[in-house]
Amino acid sequence: MSIQTSHKQIAKNTLFLYMRMLVSIIVNLYTIRLLWKVLGIDNYGIYNVVGGIVMMFAFLNSAMIASSQRFISYELGGGNSDRLKRTFSISLTVHFLLAIIILVLAETVGLWFLNVKMNIPPDRMAAANWVYQCSIISFLFTVVSVPYNACIVAHEHMKIYGYFGILEVILKLIIVLIVAVLPFDKLISYALLVLAVAITMRLIYGIYCSRHFEECHFEKFKDPHLMRQMFSFAGWSFLGNMGFAVRDQGINIILNLFFGVVVNAAKGIASQVGGVINGFASSFTMALNPQITKNYAAGNIEEMKTLMFQGCKYSLLLMAMIAIPLIFCAETILKLWIGDVAPYTVGFLQLTLLAALIDCVVSPITTSIQATGKIKVFQILISVIMIANLPLAWIGLKIELNPYLVMWISILTSTIALISRLWILHRLVKFSWRRLLLTVYARTAPVLVLISVAAYYLYLCFNHNLGGIILYGVCVISLYLSLTFFIALNRNERDKIMVMIRNRTQRKD
């Protein structure tokens, strides 16, 4: 595939993913609001913290996700169909074994922790156990379907990925509407219906892949060398992903132990909104990442570096467009959106968005490192940095009982981890630090500073009602797009945009 063709493919895939993202954001935000009303603060907090226990085991699966996606994309880039078939079948076998390991751990260590250590009201413990069991089964279906999802991403069938994503969020909205009218326990009913949606989506992904990708048919292969490679890659990925599990889910458990389920509800709302906003950046990088791996596999190292720099720059610009204005109007948005806001929700949301501005550039860098296959030092270092969140958060809360401390610690470690990733990537592919600074940060930093100042003062000028917030958003985003066009984009990028606008205008005429 030529460079021009690959760029067109990335643009096309990004378009489909943004279609999915826009629908998902609208539906998800309404779903979260409705779920908050249907479950109530305590049940919402229980669902988030109990689900967090299950997600503590996700680092096992995340390691294999990285391994499957890297090897499948690599074999596609190398054009070896026989190795591609072996890679898929071996990956599927490993994921079934992993599902068994996770089931054993969840039903022993995880179940004990839920019933003995968690700070959950006694009268809701039975419901919490229902949520836990449903979360386990749902997660196991996710584990065994990873190779199929990896094939969709590697083959860059983003149109289908977008359609399936839209279907999933619509189904989740439907089940919240159903729970609202059911006469049974709301929390248990919701957990069971979420499980039903998870099983349905996993089956849909599996059927599509089996019908459209030749390699997605299980066969018994004996390839000890390939299996050792995948396990080696997954083994080191295991360390890094364990660190992320500690940071993301371990912190929720610490907050529960110190503050209870109300603070978990606040953190849960902030995390879910942050996850929705992250879609702006992740939609672009999901389309970009397979091309990074394929270019490395084909020996196009300079093109891989170019894609990595572009991924970092555009991810940051896309995230900032939403995150910066939302940081300043977070309190008003939450009050208009969900009404009664739990304590600490506003602060958690603002800090979550700040952390997202740091983490949004991580994906292209990490994919570039993983493409080389040399991830030992990378995973050890990232694991140590991420795991440090847990003891630092515990010590911080012992010194000062302020839940925001855990977020500030997470922001600090995320910054250190970003610098560490860049240092490791430089050792592997020798990119230019000067090019990185000029391409990514020298052009984006002035835009971010100017729009932050403008967003703050514009927020003070508008009424804090629905009409005022809409006008505020239109003004800030319009100003941001203008600043981005004239400052963040170079001449070639501006010319391409103008050509695209002229072409579309001529078609309409």
Side-chain angles (χ1 to χ4, degrees), residues 408-448:
W408 284 114
I409 290 169
S410 179
I411 290 170
L412 174 63
T413 55
S414 291
T415 304
I416 295 171
L418 174 59
I419 296 170
S420 300
R421 288 183 182 92
L422 289 169
W423 171 71
I424 291 169
L425 182 60
H426 181 263
R427 289 182 59 198
L428 294 173
V429 297
K430 303 299 180 184
F431 67 83
S432 168
W433 287 101
R434 183 175 181 274
R435 184 183 175 190
L436 171 71
L437 292 174
L438 291 177
T439 302
V440 181
Y441 294 104
R443 287 188 171 274
T444 58
V447 175
L448 302 189

Side-chain angles (χ1 to χ4, degrees), residues 343-356:
Y344 302 109
T345 305
V346 175
F348 273 133
L349 178 56
Q350 291 171 325
L351 292 172
T352 297
L353 293 170
L354 183 59

Side-chain angles (χ1 to χ4, degrees), residues 106-162:
E107 294 293 359
T108 53
V109 178
L111 194 60
W112 168 83
F113 191 85
L114 170 64
N115 287 281
V116 176
K117 294 296 183 179
M118 294 302 296
N119 184 9
I120 295 173
D123 62 322
R124 300 303 296 154
M125 187 57 74
N129 275 275
W130 272 94
V131 171
Y132 183 71
Q133 295 300 328
C134 290
S135 298
I136 291 172
I137 299 171
S138 176
F139 185 60
L140 294 179
F141 272 91
T142 300
V143 169
V144 297
S145 67
V146 163
Y148 296 97
N149 293 44
C151 284
I152 293 177
V153 174
H155 282 277
E156 301 181 65
H157 282 210
M158 301 308 179
K159 181 177 181 179
I160 293 300
Y161 197 84

Side-chain angles (χ1 to χ4, degrees), residues 47 51 109 112 145 150 158 224 229 237 257-258 265 285 449 476 494:
Y47 187 82
V109 178
W112 168 83
S145 67
M158 301 308 179
Q229 283 185 310
S237 296
L257 296 176
F258 276 90
T285 55
V449 172
V476 173
R494 289 195 295 269

